[in-house]
């Protein structure tokens, strides 16, 4: 009897202990790991609220909670409570908040459910600070507290355990590439055409998004056709090929570093000169901009997006394209991590002007684009699915206003969201990668 | 030297020491960037401190022009107010032309501050972001601007201006007014981020740029 009665009590105590531990871990991040850049942003925000209509989430739901400054305040209130004199002495005066379970839950909803880390508020902040970086720091606190959405955590665990987020085995990768290679030979009419795998000392290593292997093999075929047409010296890899990095979305630097480090080591093993990242916004940002900082060293090879490489091929005259093969009007969605946070802005436009008959810009575009609503790991956070689709309304309106029948986007994450937006908002558009559009326009053989 | 003047100097000293200490202990140092740049960090920082202030540079300014311009005038007036406050310690009477122009700017600045205070209390979205410190900071600074403007027409109000100005200096490193230092730090980091990545200043239509 005593044992039976003590079991719920023990469970309750374990729950209390787990909660206390989570709070202590989150607090330790705030007190010991806050960098001076984010601290400056936290100290500079004047809560003017002028960032409100730069955020697609706020524009879609018009809730005060969705104003970027409001989301950043979830972290700023904790910062003031534990890192400023007045916050410790008179928290009521400066709106400082003690870190408790409610504060963490509020932060979790704001950071993972109402912010895609797209950076549009940062580019438009009148003070000149980055609310996204502040909210991103909140994600680091939540990660330490074990309060990351389950879908994101599952992807991290899968990638750490199996080498890629979709747990695709090496054999499956090789089999998929083998039949795609046969298909490539038929398409280009060249029996020597190849999808080389694990080739030592190739000039280029081309890394994939696992969605391509599992659901979008045509993207790989398109890359194969383009590399073949450009006579590139390239290779794929059957291990450590996954450019997605959910550690980055969780702001779990240890996991993100480990995942990015594996790709860097694989490129070093193969001895390539250049690592080319398939069309994936955050994958590009991670490998091009964040990995050297996480690993604490310069990478011994160049990192570029496939978009940059295709644009170079076109301007160098290595690809013969017939825009008439893509007769439908095409618009372009700029992925936030590739464009606003990555700097690849004009290359995709150069490509589309050569590859389609009618290219129509969305308004606004380039670094001013609105997020599709699926960024920041939102697609993996099923508990926020309804908010994600609602936040995509601004992008859906942009697409509809463009009058285009095809939406091109150099990011598989965005493509998943755009396809869902097309269904939900009845846009009746086709969604394609830039590589697929280029492959469709390619003049192969003696055409 | 008068007691109010000494108070201003003491407050300034305390404020500077407090700000220097805060800047030194702000957070973990950001290590030098290792990824090869696509643009120029220094060009980004130059942009952050020049063109980025233009009313057309950002949505936040473009879409809220009245609020943005009121904020710019308010902060220009605050800058001039601090110059006049410190000058008042050293130069008992300002030349008439400077006093009039300064007084006019401070008066307009005070009106802008008042307008922003009203907006903060009336606009529901802004009210949801507001903490008592927002109101206190505005009242203190707007009050100092008004006192400074009064001194330009009635020099006998100088001790009041100096006393309230000294309080602002003492309060500055504590609450919301900390942004008077950290705005500059923040803009530096912001400019470096977008500058290195080639996003700001506005990118040129080049192909194949890379570090």
């Amino acid at each position: 009897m005593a044992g039976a009665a003590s079991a719920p009590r023990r469970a309750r105590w374990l729950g209390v202990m787990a909660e206390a531990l989570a709070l202590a871990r989150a607090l330790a991040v705030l007190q010991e790991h806050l960098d001076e850049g984010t601290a400056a942003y936290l100290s500079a925000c004047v809560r003017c609220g002028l960032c409100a209509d730069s955020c697609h989430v706020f524009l879609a739901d018009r809730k005060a909670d969705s104003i970027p400054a409001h989301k950043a305040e979830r972290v700023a209130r904790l910062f003031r409570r534990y890192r400023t004199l007045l916050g410790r002495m008179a928290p009521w005066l400066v709106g400082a908040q003690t870190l408790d379970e409610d504060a963490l839950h509020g932060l979790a909803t704001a950071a993972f459910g109402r912010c895609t880390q797209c950076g549009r508020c940062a580019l438009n902040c009148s003070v000149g600070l980055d609310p996204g970086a502040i909210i991103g720091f909140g994600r680091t606190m939540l990660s330490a507290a074990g309060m990351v959405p389950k879908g994101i955590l599952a992807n991290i665990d899968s990638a750490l355990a199996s080498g890629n987020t979709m747990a695709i085995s090496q054999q499956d990768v090789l089999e998929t590439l083998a039949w795609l290679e046969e298909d490539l030979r038929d398409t280009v009419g060249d029996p020597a055409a190849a999808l080389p795998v694990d080739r030592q000392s190739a000039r280029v290593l081309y890394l994939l998004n696992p969605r391509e292997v599992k659901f979008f093999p045509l993207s790989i075929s398109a890359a194969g056709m383009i590399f073949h047409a450009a006579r590139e010296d390239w290779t794929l890899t059957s291990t450590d090929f996954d450019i997605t990095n959910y550690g980055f979305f969780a702001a779990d630097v240890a996991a993100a570093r480990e995942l990015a480090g594996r790709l860097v080591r694989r490129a070093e093993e193969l001895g390539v000169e250049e690592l080319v990242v398939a069309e994936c916004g955050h994958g590009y940002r991670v490998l091009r901009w964040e990995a050297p900082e996480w690993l604490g060293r310069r990478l011994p090879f160049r990192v570029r997006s496939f978009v940059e490489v295709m644009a170079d091929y076109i301007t160098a005259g290595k690809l013969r394209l017939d825009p008439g093969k893509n007769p439908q009007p095409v618009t372009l969605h700029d992925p936030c991590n590739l464009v606003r946070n990555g700097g690849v802005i004009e290359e995709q436009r150069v490509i589309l002007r050569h590859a389609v008959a009618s290219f129509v810009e969305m308004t606004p575009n380039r670094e001013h684009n609105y997020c599709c609503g699926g960024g920041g790991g939102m697609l993996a956070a099923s508990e926020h699915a309804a908010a994600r689709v609602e936040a995509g309304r601004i992008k859906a309106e942009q697409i509809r206003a463009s009058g285009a029948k095809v939406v091109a986007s150099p990011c598989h994450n965005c493509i998943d969201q755009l396809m869902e937006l097309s269904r939900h908002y009845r846009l009746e558009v086709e969604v394609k990668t830039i590589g697929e559009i280029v492959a469709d326009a390619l003049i192969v053989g003696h055409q | 030297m008068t007691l109010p003047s000494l108070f201003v100097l003491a407050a300034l000293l305390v404020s500077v020491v407090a700000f220097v200490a805060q800047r030194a202990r702000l957070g973990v140092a950001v290590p030098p960037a290792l990824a090869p740049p696509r643009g120029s960090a220094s060009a980004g920082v130059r942009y952050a401190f020049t063109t980025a202030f233009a009313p057309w540079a950002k949505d936040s300014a473009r879409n809220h022009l009245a609020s943005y311009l009121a904020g710019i005038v308010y902060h220009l007036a605050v800058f001039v107010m601090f110059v006049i406050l410190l000058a008042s310690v050293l130069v008992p009477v300002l030349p008439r032309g400077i006093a009039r122009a300064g007084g006019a700017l401070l008066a307009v600045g005070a009106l802008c501050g008042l307008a922003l205070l009203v907006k903060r209390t009336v606009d529901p979205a802004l009210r949801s972001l507001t903490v008592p410190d927002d109101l206190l900071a505005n009242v203190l600074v707007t009050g100092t601007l008004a006192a400074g403007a009064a001194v330009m027409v009635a020099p006998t109000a100088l001790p009041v201006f100096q006393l309230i100005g000294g309080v602002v200096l003492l309060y500055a490193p504590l609450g919301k007014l900390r942004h008077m230092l950290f705005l500059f730090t923040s803009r530096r980091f912001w400019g470096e981020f977008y500058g290195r990545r080639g996003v700001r200043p506005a990118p040129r239509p080049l192909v194949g740029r890379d570090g």
Side-chain angles (χ1 to χ4, degrees):
Chain A
M1 283 294 285
S6 67
R9 197 182 311 149
R10 194 180 311 128
R12 207 164 46 241
W13 270 107
L14 283 173
V16 170
M17 292 292 285
E19 185 189 312
L21 192 62
L23 290 171
R25 284 179 175 158
L27 189 56
V29 168
L30 178 62
Q31 290 183 319
E32 293 163 28
H33 298 291
L34 180 65
D35 68 274
E36 58 178 350
T38 310
Y41 295 148
L42 283 159
S43 304
C45 182
V46 293
R47 298 176 286 279
C48 66
L50 299 186
C51 51
D53 47 17
S54 62
C55 175
H56 63 288
V57 180
F58 174 77
L59 288 177
D61 71 13
R62 296 281 170 185
K63 292 177 182 164
D65 280 1
S66 299
I67 298 172
H70 215 293
K71 291 177 266 192
E73 264 293 283
R74 301 272 183 187
V75 181
R77 285 168 182 244
L78 301 170
F79 168 76
R80 293 198 289 271
R81 174 66 183 80
Y82 296 99
R83 301 284 301 247
T84 71
L85 182 65
L86 209 53
R88 282 190 285 261
M89 290 170 57
W92 58 271
L93 179 61
V94 292
Q97 184 175 13
T98 301
L99 184 62
D100 56 21
E101 202 181 1
D102 284 348
L104 273 188
H105 281 290
L107 177 58
T109 302
F112 286 110
R114 287 185 186 273
C115 175
T116 55
Q117 301 273 281
C118 77
R120 197 169 189 280
C121 54
L123 199 67
N124 285 294
C125 171
S126 58
V127 172
L129 59 90
D130 184 350
I134 295 173
I135 298 163
F137 182 76
R139 286 188 174 203
T140 306
M141 291 175 65
L142 292 163
S143 189
M147 291 181 66
V148 172
K150 285 192 178 76
I152 294 178
L153 274 182
N155 282 339
I156 295 173
D157 290 344
S158 174
L160 288 172
S162 73
N164 62 82
T165 51
M166 303 191 110
I168 305 167
S169 69
Q170 186 179 18
Q171 190 184 342
D172 281 351
V173 172
L174 289 169
E175 283 174 6
T176 303
L177 293 176
W179 71 257
L180 285 174
E181 188 174 67
E182 280 178 33
D183 193 52
L184 174 70
R185 285 174 181 154
D186 288 345
T187 308
V188 300
D190 179 358
L195 293 179
V197 188
D198 299 328
R199 199 159 68 77
Q200 200 68 31
S201 301
R203 198 189 76 75
V204 164
L205 169 62
Y206 182 67
L207 293 181
L208 301 171
N209 184 316
R211 278 191 188 89
E212 295 177 296
V213 181
K214 204 146 186 169
F215 303 123
F216 300 97
L218 286 181
S219 293
I220 303 173
S221 297
M225 286 175 69
I226 291 162
F227 281 132
H228 176 263
R231 299 181 185 283
E232 184 59 85
D233 172 18
W234 71 298
T235 186
L236 294 150
T237 170
S238 60
T239 59
D240 298 322
F241 60 84
D242 181 1
I243 50 177
T244 66
N245 190 319
Y246 282 77
F248 171 71
F249 289 140
D252 176 350
V253 175
R257 183 191 297 123
E258 169 60 25
L259 295 172
R262 290 179 185 180
L263 306 191
V264 168
R265 286 192 292 276
R266 182 66 184 138
E268 287 171 333
E269 281 168 15
L270 290 170
V272 297
E273 291 173 28
E274 181 164 354
L275 193 158
V276 174
V277 184
E279 297 181 56
C280 174
H282 87 277
Y284 170 77
R285 179 177 175 176
V286 160
L287 288 165
R288 173 66 177 82
W289 294 107
E290 316 299 344
E293 321 304 333
W294 293 336
L295 298 170
R297 64 187 174 99
R298 291 189 169 84
L299 306 186
F301 45 78
R302 192 185 195 192
V303 177
R304 284 199 296 170
S305 161
F306 189 41
V307 173
E308 294 171 278
V309 174
M310 284 188 284
D312 267 3
Y313 290 160
I314 289 169
T315 51
K318 290 183 177 177
L319 301 180
R320 290 191 303 149
L321 301 178
D322 175 6
K325 291 182 167 186
N326 288 310
Q328 301 259 53
V330 177
T331 191
L332 172 67
H333 165 66
D334 287 295
C336 308
N337 280 318
L338 185 75
V339 179
R340 187 163 38 242
N341 297 310
V344 181
I345 299 171
E346 296 300 331
E347 285 80 349
Q348 49 275 41
R349 293 174 163 77
V350 169
I351 297 169
L352 289 177
R353 283 189 202 111
H354 284 84
V356 306
S358 169
F359 169 45
V360 193
E361 287 278 13
M362 286 186 203
T363 306
N365 55 58
R366 295 179 168 81
E367 71 273 23
H368 302 289
N369 80 84
Y370 285 110
C371 175
C372 62
M378 283 279 274
L379 274 161
S382 55
E383 59 269 52
H384 300 301
R388 168 172 58 78
V389 174
E390 186 185 11
R393 186 169 57 78
I394 306 305
K395 179 56 62 182
E397 287 169 1
Q398 276 189 288
I399 293 170
R400 203 188 303 277
S402 77
K405 296 293 174 199
V406 178
V407 181
S409 183
C411 171
H412 274 284
N413 192 73
C414 296
I415 280 175
D416 281 2
Q417 168 78 349
L418 292 168
M419 286 165 67
E420 188 166 347
L421 294 182
S422 179
R423 287 191 297 272
H424 184 85
Y425 292 101
R426 301 180 195 285
L427 299 174
E428 293 174 4
V429 290
E430 197 180 350
V431 186
K432 288 182 166 183
T433 64
I434 304 281
E436 287 165 6
I437 287 174
V438 170
D440 286 344
L442 263 181
I443 301 170
V444 290
H446 298 293
Q447 277 184 321
Chain B
M1 191 172 278
T2 63
L3 271 177
S5 292
L6 282 172
F7 176 60
V8 168
L9 287 180
L12 177 67
L13 184 66
V14 170
S15 188
V16 168
V17 169
F19 269 131
V20 168
Q22 283 186 32
R23 179 64 189 88
R25 299 184 313 154
L26 189 58
V28 179
V30 175
L34 296 170
R38 193 179 163 87
S40 159
S42 57
V45 173
R46 277 198 302 279
Y47 169 83
F49 284 99
T50 53
T51 321
F53 281 107
W56 57 85
K58 298 175 178 180
D59 277 4
S60 53
R62 223 175 7 247
N63 298 345
H64 306 274
L65 204 54
S67 294
Y68 182 72
L69 292 178
I72 290 287
V73 172
Y74 187 45
H75 285 86
L76 273 177
V78 170
F79 177 76
V80 171
M81 181 264 289
F82 278 123
V83 172
I84 292 173
L85 181 67
L86 296 180
S88 74
V89 174
L90 307 168
V91 187
V93 181
L94 286 174
R96 183 179 292 177
I98 293 176
R100 281 185 177 168
L105 179 60
L106 265 53
V108 173
L111 288 174
C112 289
L114 192 62
L116 292 170
L117 182 64
V118 170
K119 183 189 174 196
R120 186 170 279 285
T121 51
V122 170
D123 183 321
L126 202 47
R127 217 167 42 224
S128 75
L129 277 169
T130 299
V131 301
D133 183 31
D134 293 312
L135 309 177
L136 178 61
N138 184 303
V139 167
L140 274 176
V141 173
T142 304
T144 314
L145 287 171
V151 171
M152 298 300 134
V153 289
T156 51
L158 181 63
V160 176
F161 172 53
Q162 289 181 319
L163 284 173
I164 188 171
V167 170
V168 168
L169 281 171
L170 285 175
Y171 188 66
L174 295 173
K176 177 187 186 172
L177 296 181
R178 296 163 75 242
H179 76 270
M180 66 189 276
L181 170 69
F182 292 112
L183 172 134
F184 297 99
T185 320
S186 175
R187 281 204 173 232
R188 196 200 97 203
F189 283 111
W190 186 95
E192 283 178 350
F193 178 90
Y194 287 115
R196 290 194 82 253
R197 296 186 184 209
V199 177
R200 284 288 175 270
R204 297 282 169 268
L206 298 175
V207 175
R209 297 168 304 179
D210 212 338

